[in-house]
Amino acid sequence: MVTVQIDNTAVIDPAQQADIDKFERMLARYKAGEIPEDVMRVFRLNNGVYGQRQGGTNQMVRVKIPAGIAHPEHFEALAHIARTYSRGWGHITTRQNIQFHYVQIDDVPDVMRVLASVGLTTREACGDTVRNVQGCHLAGACPHEVLDITAWARATALHFLRHPYAQRLPRKFKINFSGCATDCGQAMFNDVGIIAATREVDGGVEAGFRVFVAGGLGANPHPALALEDFTSREDLLPTIEACLRVFDHDGYRDNKLRARMKWLVEKLGFEELQRRIFRERKFLLASSSWPGGIPDLVKIHGDAPAGRHASVEATPVGQGVELGSRRNPDNGRSTPVSIGSRAPHDKWEKANVVRGAAKGTVSAYAWARLGDITADQFDSLADIQRELGAECRVTNRQNIVFRDLSEHQLPRLFESLSAIGMAEAGAELLRDVVACPGADTCNLAVTQSRGLADAIGNRLDEEGLAEVGGLRINISGCTNSCGQHHASDIGFFGAERRAHGRSAPGYQMLLGGYVGDSQIHFGTKALRLPARNAPEAVVRVVRQFTAEREAGEEFRHWLERKGGSREVGKTLADLDEFPLPDDGPEFFVDYDETGPYEAVIGDSECAT
């Protein structure tokens, strides 16, 4: 493959150039001993540079991809960074960022320049800031959307980038957009989640939004709550800024463990929180940063929904269709995908292709194993995107979706993705296990969550269960839910276990998490078990579900019928056993490790 050269003469936005220049100055002063460690830590976090477990000069650099929108030049820049400054690959996060690990601190300004040359930034990707603004990756291509939220998410990201109120918040602040109640953008567990909605006005229908606030995961998950019944398009950005300002004014600053917006509900009560947000919004007109009215980006690009193709039936209110998990767009019910012995292309098309938009285009997923994309794959994605004239977006399940395709382009896309190992059937289905970075690089993780994700995917493949639809598996290496284990059908979080006088890697298994239909249910505990037995536990649960489910029955409803997580957990009780170390030495070694397990927790920069 020919390596694409990055254009070093590209014009860089003055604001980004100022960020780079300041980073260089601050880094020089820090190395000279003029800036204390704690001050430098906050500064680099606000610039998307995060310390990792290995310490020293090793850094993780996080790149924001607002609404997940990626262009060929973005992929090429990411390829260059992976190849030149990291370990040969980048990692997609559950918030549509791209992370690079083992970047040396002295190289960060050069990385920033490469990104700035294509309009990307690390600014406010970490720290107590407004983080990357997410959007449903099928926005503008989904037959069930009320509005195409693409331009809204972009406008929100631009409004808060370098915004004075977005720099030193009590804690991080996350904003998500979804185009319909299905909530593929996962608005229901964020500080501010926006879902496109309608209301009847004077005999007509007005499109706008429902704004949900104070959601969050972490060790203490909290569902987002509806701020009001309906928010007009003109009022949306002022409403979001009002939420941010109230959080800045009233959020805990002396206790980082209780500093997220969800804790304001406990501190103030929800009615008082609402009152303060509405009051802030009312008088925001007097502010120099008032963002009222329809944003220019929305005026230019529009927000009209994709519309339904004639073959797609309307979906009743409250029965959203989550295309990302292959809920059948004809009936809105979660349906298992049957793969059988079809040819690889047929398997891929059945499992990875989404149809149904009125304009007749199709979308197709490219599978990124464990959310990782190599430098060569990044370059190839750029080539494929240019050749097909497609639009690409990063998904919140760590894949890439190609959009605006025609039917006749699908064979060529499959051929191209196959050549780079990204055409696995079942992207975003059961085999597509989501995991945080875990103990590979994170200071808080106690287990190798990525290794477990790989083991579960392989075990599902062996059992012929990898392409089951309507089920999702998420893994975190600790209780903090960076892998979003609370919100998945089957979730795991890492925990140290003690057996036969020795430490061993273990997990808590949760069942029944769900996000959709403008609601969220957090998974509940089923049982604890050794890390090595977690793949078998998944296989048993999935096998039982597929054998016993009623027509169109979702996992959470089957779980309720079986008596809940604890009852299903009882059927797995034999898996919560550790053999003697001599009989099963692998039980005392974590995935992707070679030596005895040891739970090592360092100082976290998550709460800095």
Side-chain angles (χ1 to χ4, degrees):
M1 174 175 292
V2 177
T3 300
V4 176
Q5 297 297 316
I6 296 299
D7 181 6
N8 293 320
T9 66
V11 177
I12 294 177
D13 176 76
Q16 286 188 269
Q17 186 61 58
D19 289 340
I20 298 167
D21 293 343
K22 184 176 181 179
F23 195 95
E24 287 186 311
R25 292 194 304 271
M26 290 286 285
L27 179 58
R29 292 181 60 197
Y30 167 70
K31 292 171 68 175
E34 299 174 9
I35 296 178
E37 178 68 40
D38 57 346
V39 175
M40 185 63 185
R41 181 185 301 115
V42 171
F43 174 76
R44 60 176 167 77
L45 284 170
N46 277 33
N47 283 275
V49 182
Y50 192 108
Q52 61 184 60
R53 176 181 288 264
Q54 288 72 24
T57 59
N58 295 293
Q59 305 291 312
M60 180 271 283
V61 175
R62 182 178 291 157
V63 185
K64 294 163 70 175
I65 314 290
I69 300 169
H71 302 299
E73 59 268 24
H74 294 163
F75 287 134
E76 288 165 349
L78 297 172
H80 179 74
I81 292 169
R83 187 177 288 117
T84 307
Y85 302 107
S86 186
R87 49 182 174 177
W89 48 272
H91 178 72
I92 303 173
T93 77
T94 55
R95 290 196 54 79
Q96 295 176 312
N97 299 293
I98 305 291
Q99 294 182 173
F100 295 97
H101 292 273
Y102 293 92
V103 177
Q104 299 305 298
I105 188 69
D106 287 342
D107 290 333
V108 169
D110 289 337
V111 170
M112 289 179 166
R113 286 190 189 90
V114 172
L115 294 170
S117 72
V118 296
L120 294 177
T121 184
T122 64
R123 174 85 188 220
E124 295 144 38
C126 303
D128 297 331
T129 64
V130 174
R131 299 291 186 86
N132 188 45
V133 177
Q134 282 190 267
C136 173
H137 52 273
L138 288 177
C142 173
H144 301 281
E145 66 188 6
V146 174
L147 289 172
D148 177 358
I149 53 82
T150 302
W152 287 99
R154 290 179 59 203
T156 302
L158 285 173
H159 177 70
F160 289 110
L161 181 64
R162 302 184 187 86
H163 191 291
Y165 267 90
Q167 306 306 306
R168 288 295 295 140
L169 294 164
R171 199 72 170 79
K172 56 191 173 184
F173 194 87
K174 297 179 178 180
I175 303 171
N176 286 42
F177 279 84
S178 287
C180 69
T182 302
D183 195 16
C184 291
Q186 300 179 327
M188 293 304 298
F189 56 76
N190 284 272
D191 299 287
V192 173
I194 301 103
I195 298 178
T198 59
R199 68 175 174 182
E200 293 185 5
V201 179
D202 298 328
V205 176
E206 177 187 1
F209 302 94
R210 291 198 77 194
V211 177
F212 294 83
V213 300
L217 295 179
N220 298 284
H222 190 278
L225 303 171
L227 183 65
E228 55 189 337
D229 291 336
F230 185 87
T231 302
S232 70
R233 293 160 77 245
E234 291 79 6
D235 281 342
L236 180 64
L237 275 180
T239 301
I240 300 172
E241 180 161 332
C243 293
L244 181 71
R245 285 172 175 251
V246 170
F247 175 57
D248 180 75
H249 298 160
D250 299 314
Y252 291 99
R253 289 186 178 272
D254 57 352
N255 184 352
K256 290 293 186 181
L257 295 178
R258 297 172 68 84
R260 293 297 297 278
M261 192 168 185
K262 63 186 178 182
W263 294 106
L264 281 181
V265 177
E266 179 182 89
K267 177 182 178 181
L268 302 174
F270 188 58
E271 290 185 0
E272 177 61 16
L273 178 61
Q274 286 176 298
R275 188 190 71 80
R276 296 188 186 196
I277 291 171
F278 294 150
R279 180 186 62 188
E280 196 73 43
R281 182 176 68 183
K282 177 181 178 180
F283 295 108
L284 192 60
L285 179 64
S287 169
S288 61
S289 66
W290 180 72
I294 307 298
D296 289 341
L297 272 175
V298 178
K299 293 177 182 178
I300 294 169
H301 298 284
D303 61 359
R308 296 182 179 91
H309 190 272
S311 65
V312 180
E313 297 177 4
T315 303
V317 175
Q319 295 182 18
V321 178
E322 190 177 358
L323 297 178
S325 66
R326 304 305 178 275
R327 292 185 185 176
N328 189 335
D330 290 328
N331 59 24
R333 294 195 299 264
S334 179
T335 306
V337 175
S338 176
I339 296 299
S341 59
R342 293 191 303 275
H345 174 270
D346 295 338
K347 293 181 182 180
W348 175 81
E349 183 172 340
K350 176 69 176 177
N352 291 37
V353 174
V354 175
R355 297 177 173 87
K359 55 188 176 181
T361 63
V362 295
S363 303
Y365 288 93
W367 179 68
R369 177 181 172 273
L370 298 179
D372 298 339
I373 301 181
T374 68
D376 287 349
Q377 286 174 329
F378 274 128
D379 278 334
S380 295
L381 289 172
D383 294 341
I384 297 167
Q385 188 178 4
R386 283 198 179 95
E387 177 188 345
L388 300 181
E391 182 182 339
C392 283
R393 298 203 189 178
V394 177
T395 83
N396 55 25
R397 290 195 70 80
Q398 304 173 315
N399 294 306
I400 303 292
V401 62
F402 283 78
R403 301 146 42 99
D404 293 332
L405 298 165
S406 61
E407 291 287 344
H408 78 269
Q409 289 178 313
L410 290 177
R412 176 57 179 161
L413 176 60
F414 173 74
E415 177 186 1
S416 299
L417 293 177
S418 295
I420 60 173
M422 297 187 72
E424 188 75 29
E428 310 242 331
L429 295 183
L430 189 56
R431 79 146 39 86
D432 202 13
V433 182
V434 166
C436 71
D440 179 36
T441 54
C442 176
N443 272 322
L444 287 181
V446 295
T447 55
Q448 291 280 5
S449 48
R450 287 166 51 82
L452 176 60
D454 200 29
I456 290 175
N458 291 337
R459 188 80 173 87
L460 290 169
D461 268 326
E462 293 170 3
E463 295 294 323
L465 297 170
E467 282 83 30
V468 170
L471 273 174
R472 291 182 165 182
I473 303 171
N474 289 50
I475 307 171
S476 301
C478 70
T479 60
N480 285 309
S481 206
C482 294
Q484 301 179 349
H485 60 266
H486 284 109
S488 61
D489 301 281
I490 302 174
F492 293 95
F493 67 82
E496 181 183 13
R497 299 291 303 275
R498 298 289 299 180
H500 309 297
R502 294 179 57 174
S503 292
Y507 284 89
Q508 173 69 56
M509 184 182 199
L510 296 87
L511 299 174
Y514 172 81
V515 181
D517 299 332
S518 297
Q519 57 184 297
I520 185 168
H521 301 278
F522 298 120
T524 54
K525 293 179 179 179
L527 82 163
R528 297 192 309 164
L529 70 172
R532 294 289 168 175
N533 282 343
E536 177 61 24
V538 169
V539 166
R540 287 197 199 177
V541 171
V542 174
R543 189 185 292 127
Q544 186 179 4
F545 167 61
T546 55
E548 297 177 355
R549 72 186 307 187
E550 297 174 353
E553 186 176 32
E554 296 183 352
F555 182 80
R556 62 193 176 106
H557 296 142
W558 168 82
L559 188 65
E560 291 172 5
R561 210 163 39 82
K562 299 301 293 184
S565 299
R566 291 291 187 188
E567 288 302 311
V568 172
K570 290 177 181 177
T571 68
L572 308 172
D574 62 297
L575 296 178
D576 188 16
E577 295 180 359
F578 283 89
L580 292 170
D582 289 342
D583 296 334
E586 70 276 10
F587 279 73
F588 299 88
V589 177
D590 204 356
Y591 290 102
D592 294 337
E593 298 286 355
T594 56
Y597 173 78
E598 182 182 6
V600 178
I601 300 176
D603 293 331
S604 170
E605 295 188 345
C606 292
T608 300

